[in-house]
Amino acid sequence: MIMGLIEPTSGSIRVFGHDMAHDRHRVLGRMNFESPYVDMPHRLTVRQNLRVFAQLYGVTDSAGKIARLAEDLALVEFLDRPSGSLSAGQKTRVALAKALINDPELLLLDEPTASLDPDTADWVRAYLETHRRDRNCTILLASHNMAEVERLCDRVIMLKQGSLVDDASPAELFARCRRSNLEDVFLDVARGRVNAKNRVVS
Amino acid sequence: MIDAAAISLGRIGAMVLRYTYLLRSSWPRILEMVYWPAVQMLTWGFLQTYLVRAQGVAPNSAAIAAGTLIGAVLLWDILLRGQQGFSFSFLEEMWSRNIANLLMSPLRPAEFVVALMVMSLIRLAVGVVPVTLMAIEFFGFNLWALGFAFAAFFVVLIVFAWSVGLLVSGILLRYGLGAENLAWSLMFIIQPLGCIFYPVAALPGWLQPICWVLPPTYVFEGLRGVLIDHVLHTDLMLTGLAIDSLLFMGAAFAFAWLLASARRAGTLLQTGE
């Protein structure tokens, strides 16, 4: 919905001041996203895929940009392999390279470490932390992995059945729910142990 | 409305590059593009040669008859392969689950459509041009020798092919791969109604008005006019092109409406069956 792929049934979404339902093309070049549920063409090599997306996003010096991303994301040895032949972890890194190809000001990540082994998942989280700090990029992360959210996020929005139930920093959520980690906060929200004002009810 | 100034040749080029990479990566794809038009042309060509000889037709009449049939087969291939070149390029995005990547990129729908048109032309050049050369070698029929008439036939056919491709792509976006067979089969309705191998007059009177709504009918009637009467009926071509324009606008509107409908229904992330 934030990228304009789905229209909201009511209300509106504005990114960089533009309504995403009608004006999305003014801002899509300043955003990007990564999701394990969206693939890149399998028969194209990693380099070919990245070159196509670099051109779609109007990246100048695409060869240099691809080389830098490949270096950063440890993709150099896979650049000339078909994307479909990569493992889940390698595909995630390629998808991240695609998501970063235009140096987005707003990066949307949908379960970026889903189905990754713990080592690769940790590597991806560390990379995202560094990227956010170095590029001052806003990251909007959707995840059910509360340890990941706790590590990466300054602000947490909790949704339950499509409704917003909380919006605070991790520290504020711990204090309100009298918990020491987001996993427990999540369970409290999911199981109805906190009410609308985040008071503990049981 | 399409803002022409906002259309980017770079993004169109990116999509053409993507499809070119795909074609280059798969020789069976390229072989398949030549294979069917060649088989079709050879089958009909040899059948026509046999029938003409068996009936003892005068050489000049035989040449005209052969030209009419082989010319019709080649123009039919331009129509069918033009549409399939458009639709199959679009389907590649759905098969590879890449459609969401594209729709969430700066690529505009109009740019996507132009790239699909370009690919339709490239696939035609790869698949049908060699077959037109084979027709010269095997049956002495030179489609290119029709000159301006061929150019007129081509324009009317390819615009109609794009219209059908656009409509099919819109349906695929809205209803997913369950509608995939339309990409293969929809154009075949033109074979009986577009009067490819026989004149409109051969059909029942009640069916003829339907035939005249289809731009290909004007092309195939025009082809027979050129080969048999040696006259290019420009009125037929202009009428065909006018109907083409209306159908293309209708298809573009339908595509935009189906895309908007898919956004409202939230089906763009669930493009499988």
Side-chain angles (χ1 to χ4, degrees):
Chain A
M1 218 178 266
I2 295 172
M3 302 289 285
L5 200 62
I6 301 170
E7 248 178 51
T9 49
S10 63
S12 65
I13 294 172
R14 300 182 79 81
V15 177
F16 302 130
H18 294 276
D19 180 0
M20 293 307 285
H22 305 107
D23 219 8
R24 72 182 76 87
H25 290 289
R26 290 184 186 279
V27 290
L28 282 173
R30 297 165 65 187
M31 309 163 66
N32 213 320
F33 81 102
E34 187 267 328
S35 167
Y37 308 110
V38 178
D39 261 345
M40 282 204 277
H42 284 195
R43 296 193 66 90
L44 269 59
T45 65
V46 172
R47 189 192 305 276
Q48 288 171 338
N49 267 319
L50 293 177
R51 195 175 287 161
V52 168
F53 280 102
Q55 198 169 329
L56 276 177
Y57 280 89
V59 175
T60 52
D61 184 27
S62 62
K65 182 72 188 174
I66 291 167
R68 281 192 295 279
L69 282 170
E71 193 70 40
D72 288 353
L73 289 159
L75 286 171
V76 174
E77 63 180 299
F78 309 118
L79 273 179
D80 294 310
R81 278 176 49 182
S83 297
S85 69
L86 304 179
S87 70
Q90 291 159 355
K91 278 183 183 169
T92 299
R93 300 209 303 269
V94 172
L96 261 181
K98 173 255 157 193
L100 298 171
I101 196 90
N102 60 327
D103 283 324
E105 295 164 60
L106 173 60
L107 176 61
L108 281 78
L109 301 172
D110 179 15
E111 306 269 12
T113 57
S115 73
L116 296 184
D117 66 76
D119 178 46
T120 312
D122 180 69
W123 189 93
V124 168
R125 286 174 199 131
Y127 182 81
L128 289 172
E129 279 179 310
T130 309
H131 179 81
R132 185 189 55 167
R133 191 179 57 240
D134 293 350
R135 302 296 174 95
N136 197 26
C137 154
T138 300
I139 297 178
L140 184 56
L141 169 79
S143 179
H144 290 103
N145 184 325
M146 292 301 108
E148 178 171 279
V149 172
E150 208 173 312
R151 177 170 169 184
L152 292 175
C153 300
D154 304 315
R155 178 180 166 192
V156 180
I157 295 171
M158 288 212 164
L159 299 173
K160 186 178 181 185
Q161 294 173 335
S163 297
L164 192 152
V165 292
D166 215 329
D167 176 357
S169 68
E172 286 168 329
L173 288 173
F174 299 157
R176 281 183 203 168
C177 297
R178 295 178 212 154
R179 297 289 187 181
S180 58
N181 62 70
L182 274 182
E183 184 82 18
D184 289 339
V185 174
F186 181 90
L187 290 174
D188 286 345
V189 170
R191 293 172 184 175
R193 292 198 290 252
V194 290
N195 65 17
K197 292 180 180 173
N198 295 303
R199 302 255 162 79
V200 178
V201 292
S202 63
Chain B
M1 290 290 286
I2 295 169
D3 180 1
I7 296 290
S8 156
L9 288 178
R11 292 193 290 264
I12 294 169
M15 291 308 295
V16 173
L17 182 67
R18 176 256 187 280
Y19 296 123
T20 312
Y21 281 146
L22 186 68
L23 280 181
R24 274 174 29 190
S25 74
S26 169
W27 66 261
R29 272 183 169 84
I30 294 174
L31 182 65
E32 189 269 342
M33 283 159 56
V34 184
Y35 176 74
W36 283 114
V39 167
Q40 178 106 327
M41 190 272 295
L42 290 173
T43 305
W44 285 91
F46 285 129
L47 176 67
Q48 179 68 30
T49 306
Y50 164 71
L51 289 175
V52 165
R53 281 183 192 153
Q55 291 175 359
V57 179
N60 191 37
S61 304
I64 291 170
T68 307
L69 189 71
I70 296 168
V73 169
L74 291 173
L75 291 180
W76 160 250
D77 261 322
I78 288 173
L79 180 64
L80 179 67
R81 307 297 157 186
Q83 178 259 318
Q84 290 187 340
F86 186 106
S87 297
F88 290 177
S89 299
F90 183 85
L91 272 170
E92 295 284 1
E93 304 303 353
M94 302 198 68
W95 289 329
S96 61
R97 296 200 310 157
N98 188 43
I99 201 85
N101 272 326
L102 298 178
L103 293 176
M104 290 191 274
S105 79
L107 181 73
R108 289 164 184 256
E111 293 162 350
F112 193 5
V113 168
V114 173
L116 293 172
M117 289 175 180
V118 173
M119 281 317 297
S120 150
L121 294 175
I122 290 174
R123 291 176 68 116
L124 268 181
V126 174
V128 178
V129 171
V131 179
T132 63
L133 302 179
M134 283 173 66
I136 300 172
E137 180 64 28
F138 279 84
F139 305 109
F141 178 76
N142 186 355
L143 188 66
W144 303 95
L146 298 180
F148 177 75
F150 173 55
F153 297 155
F154 182 86
V155 170
V156 175
L157 289 175
I158 199 69
V159 174
F160 183 72
W162 291 341
S163 301
V164 174
L166 202 47
L167 178 65
V168 169
S169 302
I171 294 171
L172 284 165
L173 271 179
R174 177 62 184 85
Y175 298 102
L177 283 172
E180 179 181 348
N181 276 344
L182 285 177
W184 301 86
S185 60
L186 190 60
M187 191 60 94
F188 281 93
I189 192 67
I190 299 302
Q191 250 191 358
L193 296 180
C195 301
I196 295 167
F197 301 117
Y198 41 75
V200 177
L203 292 177
W206 62 269
L207 204 51
Q208 291 181 17
I210 298 172
C211 301
W212 288 117
V213 173
L214 301 168
T217 303
Y218 295 84
V219 169
F220 293 104
E221 286 292 312
L223 174 70
R224 284 183 282 272
V226 168
L227 293 178
I228 297 169
D229 305 326
H230 306 290
V231 175
L232 173 64
H233 296 286
T234 48
D235 55 328
L236 284 180
M237 293 304 100
L238 290 173
T239 311
L241 201 55
I243 298 173
D244 247 350
S245 306
L246 291 175
L247 292 179
F248 187 81
M249 283 190 282
F253 178 80
F255 179 83
W257 186 84
L258 287 161
L259 176 58
S261 169
R263 284 189 204 280
R264 282 193 299 275
T267 54
L268 291 174
L269 274 172
Q270 302 142 12
T271 48
E273 291 181 32

